[in-house]
Amino acid sequence: MITTRFAPSPNGHLHLGHAFSAIIAHDLAKAQDGRFLLRIEDIDGARSRPELADEFRRDLEWLGLEWEEVPAQSARLESYDTAAKRLLDDGLLYPCTCTRAQIEHAATEQGPEGAIYPGTCKGQAVDMAKPFALRLNLERAMEQAGAITWSDDMGGETIADPRGFGDVVLVRKDAPASYHLAATLDDAADGVTLVTRGEDLRSATHIHRLLQALLGLPQLAYHHHLLLLDESGKKLAKRRGSPSLADRRAAGEDGVLLAEQLRLHSFPAGISLESA
Ligand code: GLU
Ligand code: ZN
């Protein structure tokens, strides 16, 4: 049975891009009598606003979607700890006390998430009295995982190449896990079979596939969809003030009709789909 999910972070209102993404996940599952899950990704305690989770549920209902909700990330901290401990015991993680500014200063390469960590703390005795993150020793991890691939249902099989992430943070200084660790564990725990999300997260799949291999989790299928763009050709973002679904709902717009239009790629004025 196919299981998909929509996994929004409650740090801003949902916008049309989220609706588009949720509808794709919903419809792919429902077309095959599968399950469509909602998972609130509130791992980032400092930025999460609990009241937004309720707003998200109302948004999805307004769009006419049906879902099963699984536990939010804040209820799963133990599973993140257990996995991090296992990777630590396997010698695959190391503590890092560097600040963002230090990393920016020392870095020589950029990856999909900004400056690639230059490995300053690797193999060093760091002062554990300071706040520290746990980073993946990528070289060792890739060696242990061997040759691994992942598949996108549109684009075929790809070699997992997470090198652009460098020694990525798996346990943050300020949160019990990083998005990469939490989402990978959750998708496995929730029995997701097809991960659907925007093209902007395609590169993250490389690191998620590596974590699956290291943690003995099942390999999943992926569907990366094109993003919606605003008038200026930039992807819709919570931060750039595109009208939220909650605004549209409050203005009396018909959500079911909007969902139908998004399915037909008939977008409101100014909104377009990026080209493939
Ligand atoms: N919580 C992530 C976001 O809001 C979702 C990532 C995913 O679908 O894997 O961008
Ligand atoms: Zn460091």
Coordinates of all heavy atoms in Angstrom, one line a residue, residues 95-98 117 120-121 135, ligand 2:
P95 N 31.5 15.7 18.1 CA 30.9 17.0 18.6 C 31.6 18.2 18.0 O 32.8 18.1 17.7 CB 31.2 17.0 20.1 CG 32.3 16.0 20.3 CD 32.3 15.0 19.1
C96 N 30.9 19.3 17.8 CA 31.4 20.5 17.2 C 30.9 21.7 17.9 O 29.7 21.8 18.1 CB 30.9 20.6 15.7 SG 31.1 22.2 14.9
T97 N 31.8 22.5 18.4 CA 31.4 23.7 19.1 C 31.4 25.0 18.3 O 31.2 26.1 18.8 CB 32.3 23.9 20.4 OG1 33.6 23.9 19.9 CG2 32.1 22.8 21.4
C98 N 31.8 24.9 17.0 CA 31.9 26.1 16.2 C 30.6 26.9 16.1 O 29.5 26.3 16.1 CB 32.3 25.7 14.8 SG 33.9 24.8 14.6
Y117 N 30.8 22.9 6.1 CA 31.7 22.8 7.3 C 33.1 22.3 7.0 O 33.2 21.3 6.5 CB 31.0 21.9 8.4 CG 31.8 21.8 9.7 CD1 31.9 23.0 10.5 CD2 32.4 20.7 10.1 CE1 32.6 22.9 11.7 CE2 33.1 20.6 11.2 CZ 33.2 21.7 12.0 OH 33.9 21.7 13.2
T120 N 36.7 21.6 11.2 CA 37.5 22.2 12.3 C 37.6 21.3 13.5 O 38.7 21.0 14.1 CB 37.0 23.6 12.7 OG1 36.5 24.3 11.6 CG2 38.0 24.3 13.5
C121 N 36.5 20.7 14.0 CA 36.5 20.0 15.2 C 36.7 18.5 15.1 O 36.8 17.8 16.0 CB 35.1 20.2 15.9 SG 34.8 21.9 16.4
R135 N 28.0 16.2 14.6 CA 28.1 16.2 13.1 C 28.4 14.8 12.6 O 29.1 14.0 13.3 CB 29.2 17.2 12.6 CG 28.9 18.6 12.8 CD 30.0 19.5 12.2 NE 29.6 20.9 12.4 CZ 28.9 21.5 11.5 NH1 28.4 20.9 10.4 NH2 28.5 22.8 11.7
Ligands
ZN2 ZN 33.4 22.7 14.9

